[in-house]
Amino acid sequence: MDVTINGARLNIEVLGADNKDAPVMIVHHGAPGLGSHAEPKASFGPFADEYRVVVFDARGSGASEDKAPFTHEQWAADVEAIREWIGVEQIIMAGGSYGGFISMEYAIRYPDRVLAMVLRDTSADNAHRELSRANALASPRIEVDLELFNRIMAGTTRDNEDLKAAWAHILPLYDHDLDMDKVRSRIEATPYHYATHNFAFAVNQENYDLKDKLPGITAPTLITVGRHDWITPVSASETIHRLIPGSELVIFENSGHSPQVEEAPKFQATVRDFLRRALERA
């Protein structure tokens, strides 16, 4: 459904909506300008048997309105407005990759609203950018076109076609087991919003660093990461784990950037166990 959130039309879907007494989980997709609610719907949809799961296209992504600003402050404020719209006092906040950035931003800005937090393959600062560049250059899967690679990573893509070409170039790096048919399908299924992507990578990430604020997060936090993640490597999750008091870290040995897909049964069991324990303590 289309819902106006902070003046922008957002595409929102509520899974498990008939269970009005169930805890609410809001899941933020990754990759601004490339991601959509499709991934969290597939990954967290199974949790709709125990939770009301809210998935959505963030402003500037998917089928939602391209209405600036595309800042972390605004995206976190949009999550807060969605919480108000769904009508609960507290939520489980979840997000992977760039969605993890916004999940942590939300937990820092709205600490009293977070029952628990689930992070996946993410980072608390921009140090992962140099690591990901080195990993890409070392990978046998692609011969890096530095001009194209630099445009997508620096947020200087020229238009949607250029963003699509750059996305197609790096997408083979993401999964532990490469399936080019899946890669090609994902390239065509991706909704491209180059202006959103460019702002996220050229502006937001330049000064992105939450490390000094993470010790103040009090919500129970689960951090998950694939052992072979090239873009937000295990070391980034280890830093988050070290800084968020009482957090739990689970490394998925047979995954790249998407253990929620590559090791789905284990991922779901891990999250379910964590949330049951976390909510028992709430």
Side-chain angles (χ1 to χ4, degrees):
M1 69 188 82
D2 284 344
V3 181
T4 299
I5 297 292
N6 291 330
R9 177 187 50 76
L10 302 189
N11 180 38
I12 300 178
E13 186 169 355
V14 182
L15 311 171
D18 292 338
N19 189 356
K20 299 298 183 183
D21 295 325
V24 170
M25 181 190 306
I26 298 180
V27 190
H28 204 294
H29 65 76
L34 289 165
S36 75
H37 78 288
E39 182 274 313
K41 180 179 179 180
S43 301
F44 284 86
F47 293 89
D49 60 342
E50 293 185 73
Y51 305 92
R52 278 193 286 166
V53 180
V54 182
V55 295
F56 67 104
D57 298 338
R59 66 171 65 215
S61 293
S64 289
E65 187 176 2
D66 287 332
K67 186 169 184 177
F70 305 128
T71 61
H72 289 192
E73 180 180 11
Q74 184 63 63
W75 282 323
D78 289 347
V79 172
E80 174 63 1
I82 292 171
R83 179 200 62 78
E84 293 176 349
W85 170 77
I86 200 75
V88 295
E89 290 299 311
Q90 292 184 302
I91 61 168
I92 299 160
M93 186 71 228
S97 196
Y98 207 111
F101 298 2
I102 306 307
S103 296
M104 289 183 281
E105 293 271 17
Y106 182 81
I108 290 163
R109 295 169 186 270
Y110 305 94
D112 296 337
R113 300 302 186 186
V114 183
L115 277 170
M117 182 163 60
V118 178
L119 302 174
R120 191 266 305 160
D121 294 83
T122 192
S123 179
D125 61 15
N126 60 22
H128 67 281
R129 295 194 298 182
E130 286 303 315
L131 293 170
S132 63
R133 180 185 177 89
N135 288 338
L137 290 170
S139 175
R141 291 188 177 183
I142 66 171
E143 184 175 343
V144 176
D145 178 332
L146 281 176
E147 289 188 5
L148 197 57
F149 183 86
N150 288 340
R151 286 204 299 277
I152 193 169
M153 300 306 285
T156 57
T157 59
R158 298 161 180 164
D159 52 31
N160 283 340
E161 284 303 311
D162 192 47
L163 179 58
K164 181 178 181 179
W167 183 229
H169 183 54
I170 66 172
L171 201 50
L173 298 171
Y174 278 82
D175 291 341
H176 178 245
D177 297 320
L178 179 61
D179 182 333
M180 285 305 299
D181 287 337
K182 289 183 179 179
V183 168
R184 284 187 285 268
S185 176
R186 189 174 177 189
I187 292 165
E188 295 306 318
T190 296
Y192 295 94
H193 299 253
Y194 82 99
T196 309
H197 169 84
N198 283 356
F199 194 93
F201 279 71
V203 180
N204 293 342
Q205 284 209 47
E206 279 303 302
N207 298 306
Y208 174 64
D209 190 345
L210 301 178
K211 294 194 302 298
D212 64 331
K213 298 179 178 65
L214 294 188
I217 292 178
T218 57
T221 300
L222 171 67
I223 305 150
T224 64
V225 63
R227 172 66 71 185
H228 308 282
D229 187 346
W230 78 278
I231 193 165
T232 47
V234 169
S235 59
S237 287
E238 289 173 336
T239 296
I240 297 170
H241 175 49
R242 176 171 54 84
L243 293 174
I244 296 182
S247 62
E248 300 179 21
L249 172 65
V250 178
I251 300 172
F252 291 78
E253 297 295 336
N254 298 307
S255 292
H257 191 61
S258 301
Q260 81 283 10
V261 175
E262 298 180 89
E263 296 182 73
K266 181 180 177 182
F267 179 84
Q268 291 171 22
T270 299
V271 173
R272 286 187 189 276
D273 174 68
F274 165 76
L275 289 177
R276 285 172 181 157
R277 289 184 287 108
L279 297 185
E280 284 173 1
R281 300 195 301 267

